[in-house]
Amino acid sequence: MCVCVLMLFVYTFRGSLQESTGAMYGSKFDRSYKVSEVLSAAIYLSEKAGRLVKDIRDKDALKEQSKGETKEGVNDPLTEGDLQSHRILVKGFKKAFPALNLVSEEHEEESVEGVTPPSLYHPDVQKVLKFDPAIAAEDITVWVDPLDATKEYTERLTQYVTVMACVAVKGVPVAGVL
């Protein structure tokens, strides 16, 4: 089961505040997003990806490959869990926030056609965030690691495995989901 931990950092929005246009997300022309909505989507998508990663491990459906060796000479595995988690996270974020800067450890690109957008509301986020301005899309970057600790994942050491998303504004981390 995926355990989510909210980590909120103190941050400033100097120069990033904008009036919300009231436009619906889902267009590549959306130019601003609320941090609460990006974080809520991160929670939803991380939990969904975490459940799938666990299911793939439980069924021994890893389809393990190698990305090569690390600089230390250790095998750097890639599994079906990595790829499926990546697809959930990247497609979900791109469907909900098309103009969002998104960086993933895996680099597979696919269409978001037919993807159900994630929930943009999470009650815990609403409890914690008291100030929630719209931020220019170009100032927000979401970093995802679809399956951290893949080597441990292949060895059934799942207590060390996480799905991670970090929301940064102007390069400063403001929230994370594990």
Short mmCIF file of all heavy atoms in Angstrom, two decimals, residues 45-46 49 67 76 78-94 100-110 140-148 150 162-167:
data_model
loop_
_atom_site.label_atom_id
_atom_site.label_comp_id
_atom_site.label_asym_id
_atom_site.label_seq_id
_atom_site.Cartn_x
_atom_site.Cartn_y
_atom_site.Cartn_z
N LEU A 45 -2.08 10.75 -8.06
CA LEU A 45 -1.30 9.98 -9.03
C LEU A 45 -0.26 9.09 -8.35
O LEU A 45 -0.04 7.95 -8.77
CB LEU A 45 -0.63 10.91 -10.04
CG LEU A 45 -1.60 11.67 -10.96
CD1 LEU A 45 -0.87 12.78 -11.70
CD2 LEU A 45 -2.29 10.71 -11.93
N SER A 46 0.39 9.58 -7.29
CA SER A 46 1.38 8.79 -6.57
C SER A 46 0.74 7.58 -5.89
O SER A 46 1.31 6.48 -5.90
CB SER A 46 2.11 9.65 -5.53
OG SER A 46 2.86 10.65 -6.17
N ALA A 49 -0.14 5.12 -8.72
CA ALA A 49 1.08 4.47 -9.22
C ALA A 49 1.64 3.50 -8.18
O ALA A 49 2.08 2.40 -8.53
CB ALA A 49 2.12 5.54 -9.59
N LYS A 67 19.15 -0.96 -17.79
CA LYS A 67 19.46 0.33 -18.42
C LYS A 67 20.97 0.46 -18.62
O LYS A 67 21.43 1.45 -19.16
CB LYS A 67 18.96 1.49 -17.56
CG LYS A 67 17.46 1.60 -17.47
CD LYS A 67 17.02 2.92 -16.88
CE LYS A 67 16.93 2.88 -15.38
NZ LYS A 67 16.38 4.12 -14.79
N ASP A 76 21.81 -1.38 -13.42
CA ASP A 76 20.75 -0.39 -13.20
C ASP A 76 19.48 -0.95 -13.84
O ASP A 76 19.24 -0.77 -15.04
CB ASP A 76 21.14 0.95 -13.83
CG ASP A 76 20.20 2.08 -13.47
OD1 ASP A 76 19.33 1.89 -12.58
OD2 ASP A 76 20.32 3.16 -14.07
N LEU A 78 15.52 -1.82 -14.92
CA LEU A 78 14.28 -1.15 -15.33
C LEU A 78 13.21 -2.22 -15.35
O LEU A 78 13.41 -3.29 -15.94
CB LEU A 78 14.44 -0.53 -16.72
CG LEU A 78 13.20 0.14 -17.31
CD1 LEU A 78 12.87 1.41 -16.54
CD2 LEU A 78 13.41 0.44 -18.79
N THR A 79 12.08 -1.95 -14.71
CA THR A 79 11.03 -2.96 -14.62
C THR A 79 9.71 -2.43 -15.17
O THR A 79 9.56 -1.23 -15.42
CB THR A 79 10.80 -3.39 -13.15
OG1 THR A 79 10.24 -2.27 -12.44
CG2 THR A 79 12.08 -3.86 -12.49
N GLU A 80 8.78 -3.33 -15.29
CA GLU A 80 7.43 -2.94 -15.69
C GLU A 80 6.83 -1.99 -14.66
O GLU A 80 6.06 -1.09 -15.02
CB GLU A 80 6.55 -4.20 -15.84
CG GLU A 80 5.21 -3.96 -16.47
CD GLU A 80 5.28 -3.53 -17.93
OE1 GLU A 80 6.35 -3.67 -18.57
OE2 GLU A 80 4.25 -3.04 -18.43
N GLY A 81 7.20 -2.14 -13.40
CA GLY A 81 6.74 -1.22 -12.35
C GLY A 81 7.21 0.20 -12.62
O GLY A 81 6.44 1.16 -12.48
N ASP A 82 8.49 0.36 -13.02
CA ASP A 82 9.02 1.69 -13.37
C ASP A 82 8.21 2.31 -14.51
O ASP A 82 7.81 3.47 -14.45
CB ASP A 82 10.48 1.59 -13.84
CG ASP A 82 11.46 1.20 -12.77
OD1 ASP A 82 11.85 2.06 -11.98
OD2 ASP A 82 11.84 0.01 -12.74
N LEU A 83 8.02 1.51 -15.57
CA LEU A 83 7.37 2.03 -16.78
C LEU A 83 5.89 2.34 -16.55
O LEU A 83 5.41 3.40 -16.97
CB LEU A 83 7.53 1.03 -17.92
CG LEU A 83 8.98 0.81 -18.38
CD1 LEU A 83 9.04 -0.32 -19.41
CD2 LEU A 83 9.58 2.09 -18.92
N GLN A 84 5.17 1.46 -15.87
CA GLN A 84 3.74 1.70 -15.64
C GLN A 84 3.53 2.88 -14.68
O GLN A 84 2.62 3.68 -14.87
CB GLN A 84 3.07 0.44 -15.10
CG GLN A 84 2.98 -0.69 -16.11
CD GLN A 84 2.13 -0.32 -17.32
OE1 GLN A 84 1.16 0.44 -17.23
NE2 GLN A 84 2.48 -0.86 -18.47
N SER A 85 4.37 2.98 -13.66
CA SER A 85 4.27 4.11 -12.73
C SER A 85 4.56 5.42 -13.47
O SER A 85 3.85 6.42 -13.29
CB SER A 85 5.25 3.91 -11.57
OG SER A 85 5.21 5.00 -10.69
N HIS A 86 5.59 5.41 -14.30
CA HIS A 86 5.93 6.58 -15.12
C HIS A 86 4.73 7.00 -15.97
O HIS A 86 4.39 8.18 -16.04
CB HIS A 86 7.13 6.26 -16.01
CG HIS A 86 7.35 7.24 -17.12
ND1 HIS A 86 8.03 8.42 -16.94
CD2 HIS A 86 6.96 7.21 -18.42
CE1 HIS A 86 8.06 9.09 -18.09
NE2 HIS A 86 7.43 8.38 -18.99
N ARG A 87 4.09 6.04 -16.62
CA ARG A 87 2.94 6.35 -17.48
C ARG A 87 1.81 6.98 -16.69
O ARG A 87 1.20 7.96 -17.14
CB ARG A 87 2.47 5.09 -18.20
CG ARG A 87 3.45 4.62 -19.25
CD ARG A 87 3.03 3.31 -19.89
NE ARG A 87 4.10 2.83 -20.75
CZ ARG A 87 4.55 1.58 -20.77
NH1 ARG A 87 4.01 0.66 -20.01
NH2 ARG A 87 5.55 1.25 -21.57
N ILE A 88 1.52 6.43 -15.52
CA ILE A 88 0.44 7.00 -14.68
C ILE A 88 0.77 8.44 -14.31
O ILE A 88 -0.06 9.34 -14.45
CB ILE A 88 0.22 6.14 -13.41
CG1 ILE A 88 -0.46 4.83 -13.79
CG2 ILE A 88 -0.59 6.91 -12.36
CD1 ILE A 88 -0.51 3.82 -12.65
N LEU A 89 1.98 8.66 -13.81
CA LEU A 89 2.37 10.00 -13.35
C LEU A 89 2.42 11.00 -14.50
O LEU A 89 1.80 12.07 -14.44
CB LEU A 89 3.72 9.94 -12.64
CG LEU A 89 3.73 9.19 -11.31
CD1 LEU A 89 5.15 8.83 -10.90
CD2 LEU A 89 3.05 10.00 -10.23
N VAL A 90 3.16 10.67 -15.54
CA VAL A 90 3.36 11.62 -16.64
C VAL A 90 2.06 11.89 -17.39
O VAL A 90 1.70 13.04 -17.63
CB VAL A 90 4.48 11.13 -17.58
CG1 VAL A 90 4.54 11.98 -18.84
CG2 VAL A 90 5.83 11.17 -16.86
N LYS A 91 1.35 10.84 -17.75
CA LYS A 91 0.09 11.04 -18.48
C LYS A 91 -0.92 11.81 -17.62
O LYS A 91 -1.62 12.68 -18.12
CB LYS A 91 -0.52 9.70 -18.89
CG LYS A 91 0.17 9.04 -20.03
CD LYS A 91 -0.56 7.73 -20.34
CE LYS A 91 -0.12 7.11 -21.63
NZ LYS A 91 -0.95 5.95 -21.98
N GLY A 92 -0.99 11.48 -16.33
CA GLY A 92 -1.93 12.16 -15.44
C GLY A 92 -1.63 13.64 -15.30
O GLY A 92 -2.52 14.48 -15.41
N PHE A 93 -0.35 13.97 -15.06
CA PHE A 93 0.03 15.38 -14.95
C PHE A 93 -0.19 16.11 -16.26
O PHE A 93 -0.70 17.23 -16.29
CB PHE A 93 1.49 15.54 -14.50
CG PHE A 93 1.69 15.47 -13.02
CD1 PHE A 93 2.45 14.45 -12.45
CD2 PHE A 93 1.14 16.42 -12.18
CE1 PHE A 93 2.64 14.39 -11.09
CE2 PHE A 93 1.32 16.38 -10.81
CZ PHE A 93 2.08 15.35 -10.26
N LYS A 94 0.21 15.50 -17.37
CA LYS A 94 0.05 16.15 -18.68
C LYS A 94 -1.42 16.34 -19.05
O LYS A 94 -1.78 17.33 -19.69
CB LYS A 94 0.78 15.36 -19.78
CG LYS A 94 2.29 15.47 -19.70
CD LYS A 94 2.73 16.91 -19.93
CE LYS A 94 4.23 17.05 -19.93
NZ LYS A 94 4.67 18.43 -20.03
N LEU A 100 2.50 22.32 -17.90
CA LEU A 100 3.39 22.09 -16.77
C LEU A 100 4.74 21.55 -17.21
O LEU A 100 4.83 20.72 -18.10
CB LEU A 100 2.73 21.06 -15.84
CG LEU A 100 3.36 20.85 -14.48
CD1 LEU A 100 3.14 22.07 -13.60
CD2 LEU A 100 2.73 19.64 -13.82
N ASN A 101 5.82 22.06 -16.58
CA ASN A 101 7.15 21.50 -16.78
C ASN A 101 7.24 20.22 -15.95
O ASN A 101 6.98 20.25 -14.76
CB ASN A 101 8.23 22.48 -16.29
CG ASN A 101 8.19 23.79 -17.02
OD1 ASN A 101 8.18 23.81 -18.24
ND2 ASN A 101 8.14 24.88 -16.28
N LEU A 102 7.58 19.12 -16.59
CA LEU A 102 7.58 17.82 -15.92
C LEU A 102 8.89 17.11 -16.23
O LEU A 102 9.29 17.01 -17.40
CB LEU A 102 6.39 17.00 -16.43
CG LEU A 102 6.11 15.67 -15.76
CD1 LEU A 102 5.79 15.85 -14.29
CD2 LEU A 102 4.94 15.00 -16.46
N VAL A 103 9.55 16.62 -15.19
CA VAL A 103 10.81 15.90 -15.35
C VAL A 103 10.65 14.53 -14.69
O VAL A 103 10.29 14.45 -13.51
CB VAL A 103 11.99 16.66 -14.69
CG1 VAL A 103 13.29 15.89 -14.87
CG2 VAL A 103 12.11 18.07 -15.26
N SER A 104 10.92 13.47 -15.46
CA SER A 104 10.82 12.11 -14.93
C SER A 104 12.12 11.37 -15.17
O SER A 104 12.82 11.63 -16.15
CB SER A 104 9.67 11.36 -15.63
OG SER A 104 9.63 10.00 -15.21
N GLU A 105 12.43 10.43 -14.29
CA GLU A 105 13.63 9.61 -14.46
C GLU A 105 13.54 8.78 -15.73
O GLU A 105 14.53 8.55 -16.40
CB GLU A 105 13.81 8.70 -13.24
CG GLU A 105 15.06 7.86 -13.32
CD GLU A 105 15.28 6.99 -12.10
OE1 GLU A 105 14.59 7.16 -11.09
OE2 GLU A 105 16.16 6.13 -12.18
N GLU A 106 12.35 8.32 -16.06
CA GLU A 106 12.15 7.56 -17.30
C GLU A 106 11.76 8.56 -18.38
O GLU A 106 11.27 9.64 -18.09
CB GLU A 106 11.07 6.50 -17.11
CG GLU A 106 11.27 5.61 -15.89
CD GLU A 106 12.64 4.97 -15.76
OE1 GLU A 106 13.32 4.75 -16.78
OE2 GLU A 106 13.05 4.71 -14.63
N HIS A 107 11.94 8.19 -19.64
CA HIS A 107 11.78 9.18 -20.71
C HIS A 107 10.81 8.76 -21.80
O HIS A 107 10.88 9.25 -22.90
CB HIS A 107 13.15 9.50 -21.32
CG HIS A 107 14.12 9.98 -20.30
ND1 HIS A 107 14.05 11.22 -19.74
CD2 HIS A 107 15.16 9.37 -19.71
CE1 HIS A 107 15.01 11.36 -18.85
NE2 HIS A 107 15.70 10.24 -18.82
N GLU A 108 9.90 7.89 -21.49
CA GLU A 108 8.94 7.42 -22.46
C GLU A 108 7.80 8.43 -22.60
O GLU A 108 7.22 8.86 -21.62
CB GLU A 108 8.39 6.07 -21.95
CG GLU A 108 7.51 5.36 -22.89
CD GLU A 108 7.07 4.03 -22.29
OE1 GLU A 108 6.29 4.05 -21.33
OE2 GLU A 108 7.51 3.01 -22.80
N GLU A 109 7.51 8.84 -23.80
CA GLU A 109 6.42 9.80 -24.06
C GLU A 109 5.26 9.08 -24.73
O GLU A 109 5.46 8.30 -25.65
CB GLU A 109 6.90 10.93 -24.96
CG GLU A 109 7.87 11.87 -24.28
CD GLU A 109 7.27 12.65 -23.13
OE1 GLU A 109 6.08 13.03 -23.20
OE2 GLU A 109 7.98 12.88 -22.15
N GLU A 110 4.07 9.35 -24.26
CA GLU A 110 2.88 8.75 -24.84
C GLU A 110 1.76 9.77 -24.87
O GLU A 110 1.77 10.74 -24.14
CB GLU A 110 2.44 7.53 -24.03
CG GLU A 110 3.43 6.38 -24.12
CD GLU A 110 2.91 5.13 -23.45
OE1 GLU A 110 1.69 4.98 -23.31
OE2 GLU A 110 3.73 4.30 -23.08
N ILE A 140 6.52 26.60 -12.53
CA ILE A 140 6.29 25.35 -11.80
C ILE A 140 6.96 24.20 -12.53
O ILE A 140 6.79 24.04 -13.74
CB ILE A 140 4.78 25.03 -11.67
CG1 ILE A 140 4.04 26.17 -10.97
CG2 ILE A 140 4.58 23.72 -10.91
CD1 ILE A 140 2.53 25.99 -10.96
N THR A 141 7.71 23.40 -11.78
CA THR A 141 8.28 22.16 -12.30
C THR A 141 7.89 21.04 -11.35
O THR A 141 8.00 21.19 -10.13
CB THR A 141 9.81 22.23 -12.42
OG1 THR A 141 10.15 23.32 -13.27
CG2 THR A 141 10.38 20.94 -13.00
N VAL A 142 7.42 19.93 -11.90
CA VAL A 142 7.16 18.74 -11.10
C VAL A 142 8.20 17.70 -11.47
O VAL A 142 8.37 17.36 -12.64
CB VAL A 142 5.73 18.20 -11.32
CG1 VAL A 142 5.53 16.89 -10.58
CG2 VAL A 142 4.69 19.22 -10.88
N TRP A 143 8.92 17.23 -10.46
CA TRP A 143 9.94 16.19 -10.62
C TRP A 143 9.33 14.89 -10.13
O TRP A 143 8.77 14.85 -9.03
CB TRP A 143 11.17 16.51 -9.78
CG TRP A 143 11.84 17.79 -10.17
CD1 TRP A 143 11.47 19.06 -9.82
CD2 TRP A 143 12.98 17.93 -11.01
NE1 TRP A 143 12.32 19.98 -10.38
CE2 TRP A 143 13.26 19.31 -11.12
CE3 TRP A 143 13.80 17.02 -11.68
CZ2 TRP A 143 14.32 19.80 -11.86
CZ3 TRP A 143 14.87 17.52 -12.42
CH2 TRP A 143 15.11 18.89 -12.50
N VAL A 144 9.39 13.83 -10.93
CA VAL A 144 8.87 12.54 -10.49
C VAL A 144 9.93 11.46 -10.60
O VAL A 144 10.76 11.46 -11.50
CB VAL A 144 7.60 12.11 -11.28
CG1 VAL A 144 6.46 13.09 -11.06
CG2 VAL A 144 7.87 11.94 -12.76
N ASP A 145 9.93 10.58 -9.63
CA ASP A 145 10.70 9.35 -9.69
C ASP A 145 9.65 8.25 -9.59
O ASP A 145 9.11 7.99 -8.52
CB ASP A 145 11.72 9.26 -8.56
CG ASP A 145 12.65 8.06 -8.74
OD1 ASP A 145 12.33 7.16 -9.54
OD2 ASP A 145 13.70 8.03 -8.07
N PRO A 146 9.31 7.63 -10.73
CA PRO A 146 8.20 6.69 -10.77
C PRO A 146 8.37 5.47 -9.86
O PRO A 146 7.39 4.89 -9.41
CB PRO A 146 8.13 6.25 -12.23
CG PRO A 146 8.98 7.19 -12.99
CD PRO A 146 9.92 7.83 -12.03
N LEU A 147 9.62 5.09 -9.62
CA LEU A 147 9.88 3.95 -8.73
C LEU A 147 11.31 4.11 -8.22
O LEU A 147 12.27 3.78 -8.90
CB LEU A 147 9.72 2.62 -9.49
CG LEU A 147 9.55 1.36 -8.64
CD1 LEU A 147 9.01 0.23 -9.50
CD2 LEU A 147 10.76 0.95 -7.90
N ASP A 148 11.43 4.68 -7.03
CA ASP A 148 12.74 4.85 -6.44
C ASP A 148 13.13 3.55 -5.75
O ASP A 148 12.30 2.92 -5.10
CB ASP A 148 12.72 6.00 -5.42
CG ASP A 148 14.11 6.33 -4.91
OD1 ASP A 148 15.01 6.53 -5.75
OD2 ASP A 148 14.29 6.37 -3.69
N THR A 150 14.68 0.77 -7.49
CA THR A 150 14.31 -0.32 -8.38
C THR A 150 15.09 -1.60 -8.07
O THR A 150 14.54 -2.70 -8.09
CB THR A 150 14.50 0.06 -9.87
OG1 THR A 150 13.70 1.22 -10.14
CG2 THR A 150 14.07 -1.06 -10.79
N THR A 162 9.69 3.58 -3.14
CA THR A 162 8.72 4.68 -3.10
C THR A 162 8.42 5.18 -4.50
O THR A 162 9.19 4.98 -5.44
CB THR A 162 9.24 5.89 -2.28
OG1 THR A 162 10.45 6.36 -2.86
CG2 THR A 162 9.47 5.53 -0.83
N VAL A 163 7.29 5.84 -4.62
CA VAL A 163 6.92 6.63 -5.79
C VAL A 163 6.98 8.07 -5.29
O VAL A 163 6.43 8.39 -4.25
CB VAL A 163 5.50 6.28 -6.28
CG1 VAL A 163 5.05 7.23 -7.37
CG2 VAL A 163 5.43 4.83 -6.74
N MET A 164 7.69 8.93 -6.03
CA MET A 164 7.89 10.29 -5.53
C MET A 164 7.51 11.36 -6.55
O MET A 164 7.70 11.17 -7.75
CB MET A 164 9.36 10.50 -5.15
CG MET A 164 9.81 9.64 -4.00
SD MET A 164 11.44 10.08 -3.39
CE MET A 164 12.48 9.20 -4.54
N ALA A 165 6.98 12.46 -6.03
CA ALA A 165 6.72 13.65 -6.84
C ALA A 165 7.09 14.87 -6.01
O ALA A 165 6.77 14.94 -4.82
CB ALA A 165 5.25 13.72 -7.25
N CYS A 166 7.78 15.81 -6.63
CA CYS A 166 8.19 17.04 -5.95
C CYS A 166 7.71 18.22 -6.79
O CYS A 166 7.92 18.26 -8.00
CB CYS A 166 9.71 17.10 -5.82
SG CYS A 166 10.32 18.69 -5.21
N VAL A 167 7.07 19.17 -6.14
CA VAL A 167 6.60 20.38 -6.81
C VAL A 167 7.57 21.50 -6.45
O VAL A 167 7.82 21.76 -5.27
CB VAL A 167 5.17 20.76 -6.38
CG1 VAL A 167 4.70 22.02 -7.10
CG2 VAL A 167 4.20 19.60 -6.62
#
